[in-house]
Amino acid sequence: MTHWIIAPIVLPAMLAPFIVLAARYHVGIQRVFSVAGVLALIGISAGLAWQVSDGSVIYYRLGDWAAPFGIVVVGDRLSTLMILLTSVLALFVLLHAIGADWDRRGRHFHALFQFQLMGILGAFLTGDLFNLFVFFEVLLIASYGLMIHAGGNARLRAGVQYVLFNLIGSTLFLFALGSIYAETGTLNMADLAQRVALIGPEETVGIRVAAVLLLLVFAIKAALVPLHFWLPSSYAEAPAPVAALFAIMTKVGAYAIIRVYTLIFPPDLDVTAGLFDLWLLPAALVSLAIGMIGVLAAQRLDRLVAYSIIGSMGMVLVSIALFTPEGIAAALYYIVHSTLAGAVLFLVVDLVRTGRGSVELTTQPPMAGTALTAGLFFLAAIAMAGLPPLSGFLGKLLVLDAAYGTDLMTWIWAIVLGSSLVSILGFARAGSVLFWKAHSVAPTEEEESTKDGDDGGDEDEPDAGAPSRLAYAATGGLLALLVAHTVFAGQVHGYTIDMAAQLFAPDSYISTVLDTPGKLSAPKEGN
Amino acid sequence: MSLFFIVALPFLGALLPGVMNAAGRSSCAGVTFTVSLSAFVGLLTNLPAILRGEVVKARIAWMPELGLDATFMLDGLGFFFAFLILGIGLLIIAYGRHYLSRDDNMGEFFTYLLLFQGAMVGIVLSDNILLLLVFWELTSLSSFLLIGYWKHLPEGRQGARMALTVTGMGGLAMIGGMLILGQIVGSYDLSVILQNRDLIQADPLYLPALILILLGCFTKSAQFPFHFWLPHAMAAPTPVSAYLHSATMVKAGIFLMARMWPALAGTTEWFVIVTSAGLITMVIGAVIALFKHDLKALLAFSTVSQLGLITMLLGTGTAFGAMAAMFHILNHATFKAALFMSAGIVDHEAHTRDIRRLGGLRHLMPVTFTIATIGALSIAGIPFLNGFLSKEMMLEEMTRTVMFDSPLLVPVLATIGSLFSAAYCFRFVGHTFLGPVRDDYPSKPHDPNPGMWMPPAILAVLVVVIGTAPFLAEPFVKLVTASVLGIEAEVPKSYIKIWHGLVPALYLSVIALLGGLVLMLIFNPLLRLWDAMPRPEAKTIFDAIVAASVSAARALTFTLHNGSFTRYAMIGAIAILAAGYHAWITGSVGTPTRAVQAAGPVPIAGWAMLVAASLGLVLLHRNRFLSLIFIGIVGLMVSIGFVYLSAPDLAMTQFTVEVVTIILLLLALNFLPNRTPVESTTLRRVRDASVAVASGLATFALAYHYLLRDAVGTPISEFHLANSYKGGGGTNVVNVILVDFRGFDTYGEIIVLGIAALLIFALTETLLRGPVRARLLNRVPDQPRAGDMHPMMMVVVTRVLMPVVLMVGFYIFLRGHNEPGGGFIAGLIVSIAVVMQYMASGFSWATARLRYPYHGIIGAGVLIAGFTGIGSWFVAKPFLTSDFTYVRIPPFEKFELATAALFDLGVFLAVVGAVMLSLESFSRLARRASSQDSEHPMDIDPSREEGALAPDGTKPEAG
C-alpha cells in the first residue's frame, strides 16, 4: 500500500503546526517551508494525476477501516486534476504574496495558507460526505483567517458577512447530512450511490429533500445566485493574493456538485427525476447574467473581478446543469480556465493597488509600472471575458456546443453571448480608465489626486510604488499557464472527456471503494 | 512557405518592435518591415500553385473533439486578401515610420500593428470557421489597442471602446451563427461547409444562422445600421486608419460574405438582407461624406459607402455581382489607402484636417495633390482610373437587379449613391487643393520626404495602371471570383474593359458624374440646408445607450448587493425553503415505518424549557447579558437531552463546551454596550420573523419525517457498535469512533479549533497594531469596574481547585477509551481550570507563570496527532491505523496501551491550546482597554468610588 494519496492532506496539515510551533516569529523560515511544501504538493499531485490518468481509481482507507465504516479518500481523474490545479495555483499565489510582502502584514499567514490548502485538497480527495463537511469547515475557517489577514475596517466587516453566510451553509450541510443518514444509514459516497438507488418510488420525499439541501450547500460555495451574496464584498476586500487563491474555493462547490450528482444522485433515478432541472439551469443563467452585469456596474477594480468570478461560476454551473457528458467535460475545461483567469485578475488587482495606491475606477495619474500591469490586465481580461485567443473563448465554445439542441438552448446561447458583451464593455471601460485615461491627467495634479483617491478605505495599504519583480513574475507565470491551457486545449479537453466518461460510469469507483476489504471487514450488510 | 509560417510570422515578429524600440525608430520600423516582408514573400512562394488552380492546405489538430483545428487553406480568394493585407501592410509600415513623431512609442505601435496583421492573415487563410472566429475577435482587440493608441485623447479612448463594443457584439453573434452552421453540416471545416449548400439552406436554423453571421459581417464592415463606429475609429493615427479602417479590417466582413457565398448566398433572405443593407449604407455613407469637414471623417464615410457598394454586389447572389465585388475590393484598397495616406500627409504638414481651413495646397504640395487627385477621381468614376471600371460593372449589375418587384428602385438608388460619391470626391480635391493659397494654415505645408509620399504614390500608380490596362488585372480577378463561387456557379465570360458601348450603365455613370458636379456647384446652400436639418447623432445615441446600460447595471447590482446581511440571509433562506419545498411536493410520501413514541414528563419539561429559553432569547435579545443566559439554558438543556438519551460523552462535551463558550462570550461582551440598539422597523421584523418561523417549521417537519422512518440499509453505526472493542480496543463506542473509526474527522476538527484560535490571535494582533488600538486605549467603560479586581475568596478557591481539576482532567483523559471521557473533554476541563486562574488572579499573574506558549501547545497537539497517524506508515498500515495491546506492570492491574491514546493526547493539547489562546487574545484586548492590572493578586482599586465614568474621562488607576 502506498501512502501518496493521503500526502496532499497530511503534508500541509503537518507543515502548518510545525510553522506555528517552531517558526512563528520568522517569516523568512516560514516562506522557505511554505514554498517547499507547495512544491512538494505539486510533485505529489502530478504523480497522482499521472497514476490515475489510465482510468484507474486509487483508494485509501484511513485507519485501515473498510468503507463504508471508516473514512476513505479516493483519487480518480477528476479529484487528482483538481488537486494538481490547486497546488499549482497555490505556488503562484504564494510567490505573489511573498513578493508583495503580504505575509508580513499580519500574523500566521503561512500557517493559515497551509491549513487552507489542506482543507481544499481534502475536500477534493475525500470519499465520505461527513469528512467532506469536516474539510469544508477547515477551509472555511482557514479562509476566514486569510480573508481578514492584515485587518482593516472594511475587510473585517466583509469578513463577518462571509463567515456568517458560510455558517448558514455549514448548518444546512449538517441538516443535509442528518437527512441523508436518516434515509440511508451511511455517509460513504460509494455506499450512498448504491443505497440511494435502492430507494423505491413509493417513498421519495425524504431523499429528495436531502439531495436538494446538499446541492444548495454546494451552491452556496459555488456562489450560485441567489446564494452568492457572501462573495462580492468578501473577495473584493480580501487581500488580493488570498482572493486569487479563493478562485479555487468556488470550484470546490462546483466539484462537489459534479461528484455528488454523478455518483449519488444521477438525474435518471426515480428518486431524483425532475429534481434539479427546473431551477438549477435557470439559476446558473441568472448567475452568469448578474455576475457580468456586476462587471459593468463595478466602481472598483476588486469588485469588478469579484463579480466576474460570479459570472464565470454561472458559466460553469450552466454547463454542469446540462448534465450530459459533453456538458460536464466542457464544465471541467472551463473550471480550470476560470480558476486561472480569476486568480490572475486578482493578482493584477494587487499590482494595480500597489502601483496606484487605490483600485477605485476613477481617473488618477499613471501608476508605477503601467505598461506591464496594463499588459497583464489586458490579457487577463481577455481570458475572463472569453475573447480569443485565450482559453475563455474555447471554454465558451465548448459550453455553447454542449448546449446545442437542448430545451433551453436559445436562452443559454443568448445569455452566454450577451453576458460576454456586457463583460467586454465592463472590462474595456475599467482598463480605459485605469491605464489610458491616466495619461490625460496632468502630472502636476499628481500629489493631490493621489491623496483624493486614497480615502477609499485602503487604510492598511503601503504607499504606492512599483510592485516587486516576484509579484510580476508570479502573475505572469499564472498567465503563462492560461496560455498553456489554450495551446494544449485539445489534450486537456480530451482528458476532461475521459473524466466525464469516468464520472458517468461510476461502477469502478464504487466497486474499488466498497469491495476492498479492510481491518475486521464485516460481511456486507444491507446492500 | 507553409501557411502556418505566413500566419505565425507576424505574431512571432510582434515581439521584435517592442524589443527594438530603444534602438531607434528606423531599426524599429526596419524589423517590422522585414517581418512583414518575410510573410509577404512566403505568400508569393505559393503563387504558382494558386495560378495552377490548386488549393494549398495545412493542418494541425488543436481541439479535435470540438472540431476546432488549426487548419489553413489558401485559394484564390485567400491569396487575394492576404496579398492586400501584407502588401499594403508593407507600404503602411514604411509610411508609419515617418508619420509617427518622436514622442510616440513606436515599438508599441508596430507591435499592435503586427498583431493585427497576423490576425487578419489568419482570418483569410482559415479553413476552420471556429479558428476564423479566433482571428476575427483578435482583429477587434488589436484594432481596440490601435484606436486607443494615443491614450491621452478622449476621442481615441471612446472610439476604441465603441469599435470594440460594436464589432465585439457582431463577433459574439457570429459565434452563434458559426456554431449553428457547423452543427447543421457536422463539421466546422470551411471546405466541407461550402460543399453543403442545399443541406444548409434547407435547415430550419438557416435563417438564424444567416442573421447571426451577417451581424458579424455588418458590424465589422460598418454596414448600416452599424456604420457609426467607423468614423469614430478615425481617432487612431492615420496609418491605422488607412490600413485597418479602409484597406483591410473593415473588409473582413466582406471577405466572410464572399467566403460563405457558396453556402449562404442565393436565397431570398440573403438577397433582401444583404442587398438592402448595402444599398442603404452606400447612399447614406455618400451623403454624409459630402458634408464632413474633417478629411478623415469624409474618407471614413466614403469607406462606409464603398463597403456598402461591395456588400450590395455580393447580395445580388449572381456570379457577375461577385466578380464586380472582387474587382472593386481590389480597386478600393488601392485608391482609398492612397487617399488616407494623402490626408495623413496633409494633416502632418498643415497640422489640420479641417477642410474649411485648407485650400490651395496644389501649389504647396504638388506631389500629394497628384496622388490625392488620382485617388479621388477614381472613386468618382472618371475613366482610365480603376474606380470607373468597377463602378460601371456595379451599375450594370444594378440595372439587372429587381427588388420588391421594382426594376427601378435599385438602379436609381445606386445612381444617387454614385452621384454623391462623385460630389464628395470633387469636394475633397476642390476644397483641399484647389483654390487660392491661404496664409492662415496652422503650419506652412510642403511636400514631405519621399519616405512618406512614396507608399501612396505606388498605390496611385496602380490605380492608373489597372484603370488603363484592365486586361492585366482581369485573369487575377477571375481567378479570385472562381474561388468565391466555388462549385455553385461559373465565372462570367465577360471581359473587364473600358468601353462597353452605349449601355445603360454608361448613361448612369455620366448622370452620376454630372450630378456630382452640380452638387459641388451648389454646395454652400446645400450645406446650410444640411446643417439646419435635424439628424440623429450616432455617437450621442451610442453613448446614451451605454450610459443607460451602465446605470441600469448599477441600479440592479447595487440594489441587489446593498450590503445588508439580514437581507442576504433572508433571500438565501427563502431560496432554500423554496427549493426544498419543490423537492417535497414533487416526491411521494409513504407510510411511516416507526411508531410515534409516547413522551414522558421529563422530556416534555425539557422541551418546554428549551422552547421558553429560545423564545426568551428572541424577545429579550437586546439585553446582551440576558441573552447569554438564555443561550446557556439552551446549551444546558441540550446537554441534559444527551444524558436522557444515554449519551454521556456528548453530554459532557456539550457541557464543557458551554462553559468555555459562555466565558469567551462574556469576555467579548466586555467590549460591547449592554443593549443592542433597535435598528429595524416593525415591518422588517415581521418579515424576518415570518421567514425564520417558516424555516423553523420546515426543519421540524423534516426532522419529524425522518424520525418516523428507517434507513434503507443497516446504518453503519451497527458496525461501530459491534466492533468497537474487538477492533478499536475500547468499550466506549463514542470515543472509539472519535479517535479510531473516524479519527480522520477528529483530526480535521482539532485543526479547525486550532485555526480558530490562531485567527483570533492574528486578529487581535492586527487590532492592537491598527487604529483600534487608540480607541481601546481611550475607551471609557460604560459601567464601573469591580473595585476588588481579584477577590480573595476566588483566588484561594481557584488555586486550591487547580490540582484537583487537573487530576480530574487526567482521569477523564485516561478513562476515555472505555468510559465516557477522552481527550476533547479532558482538554476542555483543564482549560477551565486554567481559565479560572486568569479570572481569579489576573492576566499578568497567570501569564508570568505560563511556561509553554499556547501557540506551541496547539502546534504540538496537531503534530502529535499527525505523527500518531504517520506512525502507522512504518508498519505498512494506512494513516491513523490504530493498534492496542494489554500490558501488566506490577503492582498495577493489567491495562491497555493504545496508539489511539496518543492521538487523543494530540486532541487534548490542541483543545487546551486553542481555548487558552483565544482567551488570552480576548484578555489582551481587555487589558489594552482598561488599566494595567497588577502582578499581584488580591489588589483593591481605591479609585472605584470615582467610577469609570469620571467626567474628565480619566482612567481608573490600579492601586
Side-chain angles (χ1 to χ4, degrees), chain A residues 286-297:
Chain A
V286 173
S287 305
L288 177 55
I290 296 266
M292 293 315 180
I293 289 173
V295 168
L296 183 61

Side-chain angles (χ1 to χ4, degrees), chain B residues 592-830:
Chain B
T593 53
R594 294 180 186 171
V596 180
Q597 287 174 319
V602 178
I604 288 185
W607 176 81
M609 281 189 69
L610 205 53
V611 172
S614 304
L615 280 177
L617 178 61
V618 171
L619 294 175
L620 301 171
H621 74 277
R622 300 206 181 281
N623 184 329
R624 288 181 163 142
F625 278 99
L626 215 51
S627 56
L628 211 55
I629 291 172
F630 283 122
I631 292 174
I633 295 177
V634 171
L636 271 181
M637 291 322 295
V638 172
S639 311
I640 293 172
F642 285 139
V643 173
Y644 183 79
L645 296 170
S646 324
D649 279 279
L650 298 186
M652 285 170 78
T653 315
Q654 182 69 34
F655 189 77
T656 40
V657 164
E658 280 301 320
V659 173
V660 173
T661 329
I662 296 289
I663 292 175
L664 289 179
L665 280 175
L666 275 172
L667 278 171
L669 276 193
N670 198 21
F671 302 101
L672 298 173
N674 266 347
R675 297 189 62 84
T676 316
V678 181
E679 283 169 335
S680 47
T681 59
T682 313
L683 190 67
R684 177 179 289 187
R685 267 177 281 161
V686 169
R687 180 196 79 182
D688 292 349
S690 27
V691 174
V693 168
S695 310
L697 286 178
T699 314
F700 163 77
L702 210 56
Y704 189 76
H705 174 86
Y706 292 127
L707 283 174
L708 288 183
R709 280 153 184 88
D710 286 314
V712 65
T714 320
I716 52 171
S717 51
E718 300 287 325
F719 175 90
H720 295 152
L721 285 170
N723 291 290
S724 152
Y725 185 72
K726 195 166 53 158
T731 49
N732 178 0
V733 185
V734 174
N735 184 269
V736 177
I737 290 178
L738 283 177
V739 298
D740 198 341
F741 289 126
R742 299 192 70 95
F744 196 51
D745 281 341
T746 311
Y747 185 54
E749 289 297 354
I750 60 170
I751 285 176
V752 171
L753 209 55
I755 299 171
L758 290 185
L759 93 84
I760 291 175
F761 171 78
L763 190 56
T764 314
E765 281 280 302
T766 324
L767 287 178
L768 289 180
R769 277 187 307 176
V772 179
R773 181 183 175 182
R775 276 219 297 281
L776 282 175
L777 284 173
N778 292 322
R779 181 167 180 270
V780 180
D782 53 358
Q783 282 181 326
R785 308 269 100 175
D788 188 1
M789 295 184 79
H790 306 298
M792 188 200 298
M793 279 310 288
M794 193 165 165
V795 172
V796 172
V797 170
T798 51
R799 287 193 200 171
V800 171
L801 272 180
M802 175 89 177
V804 179
V805 178
L806 287 184
M807 206 55 219
V808 170
F810 186 60
Y811 171 68
I812 294 274
F813 175 81
L814 278 188
R815 76 200 284 256
H817 216 45
N818 293 312
E819 302 289 330
F824 196 87
I825 303 171
L828 288 171
I829 290 175
V830 169

